[in-house]
Amino acid sequence: MPAPWAEPEYNPSSKELLDRIVEVIGDASISSKDVQIKNVSKWVINEVVAERYHDGEDVFCLGDAVHRHPPVNGLGSNTCIQDAYNLAWKIALVEQGKAQRSLLDSYTTERQPVGQTVISRANQGLRDHDPIWDAIGRKEPTLEGRQAAWAELSEGSERGAARRERLRKAVDWTAHALMAVGVEMNQRYDSRAIYLADEEGPRPELPEDPILHYQISTYPGQRLPHAWINTRNPGKQLSTQDLAGKGRFCLIMGHGGERWREALKRVGEELGVRTVSWTVGWGLDYEDVYGDWTRRREVRDAGCVLLRPDRFVAWRAMDMVEDCEGKLRTVFRHMLGLDNPPPREDGHL
């Protein structure tokens, strides 16, 4: 049975609050004369995620409406903003008549698993502190037991060494809450808004510890990898992240990939979607000053990486293809749902 103070309807008396303060401090001499309770507020730990974020019609939910958890890891506001970033460009294209409503179905498909992961991680971050409290004796039921455990940490004995080792390991493990780059960055989308037909193999396996470590990849459905770039005459340092977003589909290519640029322009004009393209490499639009983009792009010089307006990889080509315009048209029509339009009201396609 949970402790009574874990229940939202529990209203402790002043004496119960004082008893709890005495228990925490460990000083039985404390009385109501020493403590003034000015206000009592409640905080209920949430561990809730919605099964779907979209009702199939015109209602879309995001943020705390679909995922609620404690602020451990600090993932709440970030996840809310990411929900909006995922949804906004899709609604815009559908409202403008440039995409079918099937594009909106990808919102729940892509974001609900992220919400589920964040909920689990945030609450596990709370639980990850339990071994610390145990190692310092905080979970001992009596004052004497807590004092004895605390004193043990200073002992030059095997018992003291074992307790100090438990504490060290417990503190080290909190890196999963404080430095959890993996849980923040290893988001992987798999929906119709991602084009996988040209991939020759499965999605790469996540790192051994996907909470701590980030898997950098341009595999479709993953985040655009960051790499520092600059102009040939060095100016303000930029990230590859700065090339994408801003409501546009972005194509990044290298030497020998220039044909992709004109193909993207024609397809974008044909479909009425905003596009931008950049070449990255020696003497091109941007210089790969540290070689990081070359190491992380996973495509050849003449290949390309197509990014959605939310900076997730939509599709990539390992090398130049003969009909690059036709290939881009196929990719865009698939993502926007234009390759499978709904039947007209008169029953015709």
Side-chain angles (χ1 to χ4, degrees):
M1 178 179 294
W5 52 83
E7 299 299 323
E9 65 274 11
Y10 179 63
N11 294 300
S13 65
S14 295
K15 182 180 183 307
E16 287 174 310
L17 291 170
L18 180 60
D19 290 344
R20 183 65 170 151
I21 291 170
V22 169
E23 181 184 357
V24 170
I25 295 175
D27 185 351
S29 69
I30 296 295
S31 70
S32 58
K33 295 179 180 179
D34 305 303
V35 176
Q36 181 182 2
I37 300 172
K38 293 185 175 181
N39 184 50
V40 177
S41 62
K42 297 177 182 178
W43 177 55
V44 178
I45 297 176
N46 283 295
E47 190 165 3
V48 180
V49 62
E51 294 181 356
R52 53 192 173 90
Y53 291 9
H54 174 212
D55 72 344
E57 296 296 332
D58 297 326
V59 176
F60 298 85
C61 298
L62 52 81
D64 287 350
V66 286
H67 42 76
R68 297 178 185 172
H69 57 82
V72 179
N73 286 57
L75 299 171
S77 296
N78 293 312
T79 309
C80 175
I81 293 169
Q82 291 163 12
D83 290 342
Y85 201 35
N86 181 285
L87 181 61
W89 65 273
K90 297 174 182 178
I91 290 180
L93 289 177
V94 172
E95 286 295 304
Q96 293 164 8
K98 298 171 183 176
Q100 295 294 326
R101 290 186 64 90
S102 59
L103 177 62
L104 300 176
D105 296 335
S106 66
Y107 173 57
T108 284
T109 303
E110 293 178 351
R111 293 302 301 169
Q112 198 277 344
V114 174
Q116 184 68 62
T117 299
V118 166
I119 291 295
S120 301
R121 179 57 243 160
N123 283 277
Q124 187 56 45
L126 282 179
R127 301 180 186 107
D128 286 346
H129 286 77
D130 260 9
I132 295 178
W133 311 136
D134 184 53
I136 65 176
R138 179 62 188 84
K139 299 179 73 174
E140 292 291 333
T142 66
L143 173 60
E144 292 74 16
R146 293 194 291 273
Q147 291 175 332
W150 182 260
E152 205 171 77
L153 286 167
S154 300
E155 288 182 5
S157 63
E158 290 187 9
R159 188 174 58 179
R163 186 173 287 276
R164 288 190 294 275
E165 180 65 8
R166 283 168 55 195
L167 178 59
R168 184 191 65 78
K169 289 182 177 180
V171 171
D172 286 349
W173 189 256
T174 61
H176 288 77
L178 303 175
M179 295 182 285
V181 175
V183 77
E184 296 177 19
M185 302 296 288
N186 285 326
Q187 298 178 12
R188 304 167 129 200
Y189 294 164
D190 188 359
S191 71
R192 272 193 62 90
I194 300 296
Y195 192 85
L196 294 173
D198 294 330
E199 291 300 316
E200 297 178 356
R203 190 181 298 278
E205 294 292 328
L206 285 171
E208 183 177 354
D209 191 334
I211 301 299
L212 283 182
H213 303 133
Y214 167 40
Q215 180 203 59
I216 299 173
S217 176
T218 61
Y219 196 92
Q222 298 191 201
R223 291 174 178 271
L224 164 66
H226 154 76
W228 289 119
I229 55 177
N230 213 316
T231 51
R232 190 169 190 180
N233 293 322
K236 181 181 178 181
Q237 191 178 45
L238 297 174
S239 166
T240 45
Q241 295 284 332
D242 297 318
L243 303 182
K246 304 178 179 67
R248 306 170 299 187
F249 289 90
C250 174
L251 196 68
I252 302 177
M253 68 220 86
H255 294 89
E258 292 80 2
R259 284 174 50 208
W260 290 114
R261 170 170 279 170
E262 188 58 34
L264 178 71
K265 181 180 178 181
R266 288 195 292 266
V267 171
E269 291 174 348
E270 174 187 319
L271 300 178
V273 296
R274 296 175 60 202
T275 63
V276 66
S277 61
W278 305 103
T279 55
V280 177
W282 183 271
L284 300 179
D285 294 335
Y286 291 98
E287 298 270 359
D288 186 14
V289 289
Y290 301 114
D292 287 341
W293 175 245
T294 300
R295 285 188 288 269
R296 296 169 183 173
R297 69 189 182 187
E298 299 178 325
V299 301
R300 299 181 182 89
D301 281 344
C304 63
V305 178
L306 178 65
L307 306 164
R308 308 187 323 184
D310 58 3
R311 293 184 173 91
F312 273 72
V313 178
W315 164 80
R316 64 183 180 178
M318 291 299 173
D319 211 333
M320 178 58 68
V321 299
E322 183 175 350
D323 183 11
C324 54
E325 181 178 334
K327 171 54 67 175
L328 280 171
R329 183 178 293 107
T330 297
V331 172
F332 270 94
R333 290 183 63 82
H334 173 85
M335 286 194 299
L336 302 178
L338 302 177
D339 58 349
N340 187 25
R344 289 172 20 185
E345 291 184 1
D346 59 8
H348 295 88
L349 295 177

